[in-house]
Amino acid sequence: MRHCINCCIQLLPNNEHKQQVGCGGGPLHSHLECPACKGENKIVLRVDGKQMNLLAVLEVRAEGNESWGRFLRFKKGKRCSLVFGLMIMTLVMASYILSGAHQELLISSPFHYGAFPSNPSLMDGENPSDTKEHHHQPSVNNISYVKDYPSIKLIINSITARIEFTTRQLPDIEDLKKQEVHMFSVIPNKFLPNSKSPCWYEEFTGRNTTDPYLTNSYVLYSKRFRSTFDALRKAFWGHLSHASGKHFRLRCLPRFYIIGQPKCGTTDLYDRLRLHPEVKFSAIKEPHWWTRKRFGIVRLRDGLRDRYPVEDYLDLFDLAAHQIHQGLQASSAEEQSRMTRIIIGEASASTMWDNNAWTFFYDNSTDGEPPFLTQDFIHAFQPDAKLIVMLRDPVERLYSDYLYFASSNKSADDFHEKVTEAVQLFENCMLDYSLRACVYNNTLNNAMPVRLQVGLYAVYLLDWLTVFNKEQFLVLRLEDHASNVKYTMHRVFQFLNLGPLGEKQETLMTKSPASNARRPEDRNLGPMWPVTQKILQDFYGPFNARLAQVLADEAFAWKKT
């Protein structure tokens, strides 16, 4: 009679080990079948309820009713096969431990059984209307994460108890001028009355052999912008105005800003909106000048470079300025009307929230809050600017942000650990400082492994509303945009006072695929753990509720997304 000994590793959740199943060389006296083994005798191992594909099957055949002692006297080839298989299993298990996994490898009694639970959640893309099912390998929820939830919930409760939405003290205009003397010397107080965009004429003192963009920092520090500036050079000399022996160039600022937030569909909105013939954006999609480049920040971790002067930023709107200038100089009323209807936009998704540079350039306040914010300076020059904000469920925004920016070791486990670490760091700050001080704390923001603070929409919006009127904002939800692009774009047209589009133009704008959708390799990673989602919902809940209250729209509470 021939019997087989099958040894396989099964990963079983801790709470499902009710019985023991034996494996042996002969018939079992009290035979219990493991449901996961489908009737086969197997040694079942578990690894803390976490899926690991360590080893397939080790099979050894014995003769008749020989004892385990005689088993050791197998032929040399079969003994070598068994030893080799055991060595592989040992090496793989050791590799798992040494690979930096955070969960302890536990191998309890090898005679438990259970079933694999699976996570039925679907993977959400950048576009929430994408309801295609994504198939993933079944995963076992990490029981330790679920057990940790009560302690994380206590931390979130501690944060919630300290949330206070206070009104910030606005700086005086003279204090703003002291901080940005050069900027205030370049941008005038008044703009041309017959242009929808804020424009003015500035004397150009260079000669006709002078490269007007020779010292532009965007060109100097980034090769990918050089072709853009080559086009600007070709168009520059034909769009100067001449008077009294002097040369003048038209300078313009944006009429509207898409100010945020990252991973909320701003790129898709930008790509569709720029198809409108009356809309002209900056030569670079996201200049990040107000928040970063004017401070000399390219990547904060790389330190500070020379500050980009305001002239470098204004250069980015030269192509739009050329068309407006052409309309201002046109002889026909029709041409003038067509060109002066042009409206300039800018779409840096950092404008709403990123004030990390303030600690390097402004004197620290006694309470740790920044004395100046980006919106203070924009308002000083453009008190009637229009501001568009695109938001999404902050829970999904954070996961999308993580998948987009993380470079390696991306997984639901890694995301969960980074989220819990970030929540704890945020609480540590809240124990000693105000909500605003923690949100704008550069040290904290750099320490957090995920950008938890970017989803605190209510804090940022309330600070913007201290200087701009509510009517100057159009706040959209990505979820609504994805489900009805045409309706969203019509709202934007109305907000910006844009003319209607022809049928073909509108079809092109509304039917084109979504921009900047989630990458296939990120989709394949699967959704976040349900317990991670619950932690983030608890954390963002009070902020979402306040946002919904400010906007008088419960959809911004994201109770059902």
Side-chain angles (χ1 to χ4, degrees):
M1 179 178 181
R2 297 172 66 90
H3 300 278
C4 73
I5 299 173
N6 291 331
C7 300
C8 75
I9 291 178
Q10 295 281 350
L11 307 176
L12 309 174
N14 295 338
N15 59 351
E16 297 189 10
H17 305 299
K18 305 289 185 183
Q19 304 179 37
Q20 293 184 342
V21 182
C23 292
L28 292 172
H29 298 292
S30 178
H31 185 75
L32 295 175
E33 290 187 352
C34 171
C37 299
K38 298 181 179 179
E40 298 175 1
N41 293 327
K42 296 185 179 181
I43 295 178
V44 182
L45 303 182
R46 67 179 176 83
V47 185
D48 194 24
K50 184 175 180 180
Q51 183 174 353
M52 285 178 52
N53 296 321
L54 294 181
L55 195 60
V57 176
L58 297 175
E59 183 173 298
V60 179
R61 300 190 181 276
E63 295 291 336
N65 293 321
E66 288 181 337
S67 66
W68 280 94
R70 294 187 61 189
F71 166 73
L72 298 175
R73 295 195 296 273
F74 274 179
K75 291 182 179 180
K76 182 177 179 181
K78 292 188 176 182
R79 291 204 310 270
C80 290
S81 298
L82 176 62
V83 171
F84 180 71
L86 292 174
M87 289 175 62
I88 292 177
M89 181 176 71
T90 303
L91 290 172
V92 173
M93 294 170 68
S95 173
Y96 171 76
I97 297 173
L98 296 175
S99 65
H102 294 281
Q103 302 301 317
E104 183 180 2
L105 182 64
L106 300 176
I107 304 181
S108 55
S109 173
F111 304 112
H112 296 291
Y113 70 93
F116 287 110
S118 62
N119 192 331
S121 301
L122 299 180
M123 184 62 184
D124 291 331
E126 267 311 288
N127 188 337
S129 66
D130 180 10
T131 57
K132 278 190 177 181
E133 184 174 359
H134 301 277
H135 300 282
H136 307 286
Q137 293 296 325
S139 302
V140 179
N141 290 329
N142 195 312
I143 302 301
S144 64
Y145 292 161
V146 178
K147 291 179 178 178
D148 288 343
Y149 174 74
S151 61
I152 299 297
K153 178 62 175 174
L154 290 176
I155 294 174
I156 294 175
N157 290 342
S158 171
I159 295 172
T160 302
R162 290 172 170 80
I163 293 176
E164 187 176 359
F165 297 99
T166 59
T167 302
R168 62 183 288 257
Q169 184 177 355
L170 297 180
D172 185 78
I173 185 65
E174 295 303 320
D175 291 330
L176 294 174
K177 290 180 179 179
K178 290 178 183 177
Q179 298 299 324
E180 295 287 354
V181 175
H182 179 68
M183 190 195 312
F184 277 89
S185 70
V186 172
I187 302 176
N189 295 325
K190 295 182 180 180
F191 305 115
L192 296 175
N194 50 349
S195 172
K196 289 181 67 174
S197 296
C199 300
W200 68 98
Y201 279 103
E202 170 188 287
E203 184 180 356
F204 178 72
T205 57
R207 299 181 179 179
N208 57 5
T209 57
T210 303
D211 180 356
Y213 306 110
L214 181 64
T215 60
N216 188 289
S217 300
Y218 285 99
V219 184
L220 296 177
Y221 291 126
S222 181
K223 294 181 180 179
R224 64 191 178 99
F225 296 146
R226 291 180 182 175
S227 60
T228 299
F229 280 89
D230 285 341
L232 290 174
R233 287 187 189 93
K234 292 178 182 179
F236 181 81
W237 295 105
H239 294 87
L240 290 178
S241 179
H242 310 280
S244 303
K246 297 180 179 180
H247 305 293
F248 295 89
R249 64 190 297 188
L250 188 68
R251 287 293 207 178
C252 296
L253 280 169
R255 175 71 174 93
F256 72 94
Y257 296 85
I258 299 176
I259 62 175
Q261 290 287 64
K263 309 312 297 175
C264 290
T266 56
T267 299
D268 187 72
L269 178 62
Y270 162 84
D271 283 339
R272 296 182 193 278
L273 189 53
R274 67 177 180 161
L275 296 177
H276 197 291
E278 295 176 14
V279 175
K280 304 298 176 184
F281 278 98
S282 53
I284 297 169
K285 188 255 176 181
E286 291 188 280
H288 297 296
W289 185 80
W290 290 101
T291 54
R292 300 170 186 172
K293 300 300 192 294
R294 70 185 175 104
F295 299 106
I297 295 173
V298 177
R299 294 181 181 88
L300 195 57
R301 64 178 179 269
D302 296 336
L304 300 177
R305 297 184 178 180
D306 293 336
R307 300 179 68 173
Y308 289 32
V310 66
E311 290 90 343
D312 292 359
Y313 179 60
L314 296 174
D315 286 346
L316 302 180
F317 306 103
D318 273 2
L319 286 179
H322 295 338
Q323 295 187 46
I324 296 174
H325 168 73
Q326 184 178 340
L328 294 173
Q329 302 296 318
S331 57
S332 68
E334 181 181 352
E335 180 71 5
Q336 288 183 5
S337 176
R338 186 172 67 86
M339 290 301 182
T340 55
R341 281 202 306 267
I342 289 175
I343 182 172
I344 300 176
E346 200 252 74
S348 298
S350 64
T351 306
M352 183 176 180
W353 65 274
D354 190 351
N355 283 272
N356 283 328
W358 77 268
T359 53
F360 299 105
F361 293 92
Y362 305 142
D363 293 333
N364 200 349
S365 56
T366 56
D367 55 5
E369 297 184 7
F372 310 104
L373 294 176
T374 298
Q375 54 265 38
D376 298 330
F377 294 96
I378 295 178
H379 182 266
F381 300 111
Q382 300 173 257
D384 59 347
K386 294 200 171 189
L387 308 161
I388 299 176
V389 184
M390 181 82 88
L391 305 176
R392 74 187 290 188
D393 180 356
V395 176
E396 295 301 326
R397 194 220 70 81
L398 186 63
Y399 192 50
S400 178
D401 195 76
Y402 162 79
L403 293 176
Y404 186 82
F405 289 105
S407 57
S408 60
N409 300 322
K410 290 185 285 190
S411 68
D413 286 343
D414 183 63
F415 179 66
H416 178 90
E417 291 165 8
K418 284 178 166 57
V419 165
T420 55
E421 181 184 347
V423 170
Q424 293 176 64
L425 288 170
F426 196 82
E427 188 221 11
N428 290 340
C429 182
M430 290 286 287
L431 293 175
D432 298 317
Y433 296 96
S434 68
L435 173 61
R436 181 177 292 106
C438 292
V439 168
Y440 294 116
N441 188 307
N442 175 56
T443 302
L444 172 64
N445 291 341
N446 287 333
M448 286 198 292
V450 288
R451 300 196 297 181
L452 194 71
Q453 79 282 7
V454 178
L456 303 179
Y457 308 142
V459 177
Y460 302 116
L461 184 59
L462 285 169
D463 281 351
W464 278 79
L465 286 171
T466 60
V467 291
F468 289 99
N469 296 324
K470 189 175 179 180
E471 293 72 24
Q472 294 175 253
F473 287 86
L474 175 63
V475 184
L476 306 168
R477 295 196 329 149
L478 175 60
E479 294 84 355
D480 301 329
H481 176 66
S483 63
N484 194 338
V485 172
K486 185 175 181 179
Y487 175 72
T488 300
M489 298 311 298
H490 281 186
R491 289 188 64 190
V492 175
F493 296 165
Q494 184 178 14
F495 178 70
L496 297 177
N497 297 317
L498 298 175
L501 290 177
E503 184 177 347
K504 289 184 178 180
Q505 288 177 312
E506 186 168 289
T507 299
L508 177 64
M509 178 179 291
T510 58
K511 299 298 183 181
S512 57
S515 301
N516 204 22
R518 187 169 294 176
R519 296 168 296 211
E521 60 268 28
D522 290 338
R523 287 175 177 266
N524 293 334
L525 291 174
M528 72 182 84
W529 294 118
V531 65
T532 316
Q533 185 180 48
K534 177 60 177 170
I535 288 171
L536 289 172
Q537 287 171 343
D538 292 343
F539 175 78
Y540 286 121
F543 300 97
N544 293 344
R546 182 67 173 125
L547 179 68
Q549 182 184 37
V550 171
L551 297 175
D553 187 348
E554 281 301 310
F556 287 94
W558 284 284
K559 293 179 181 178
K560 293 181 181 180
T561 56

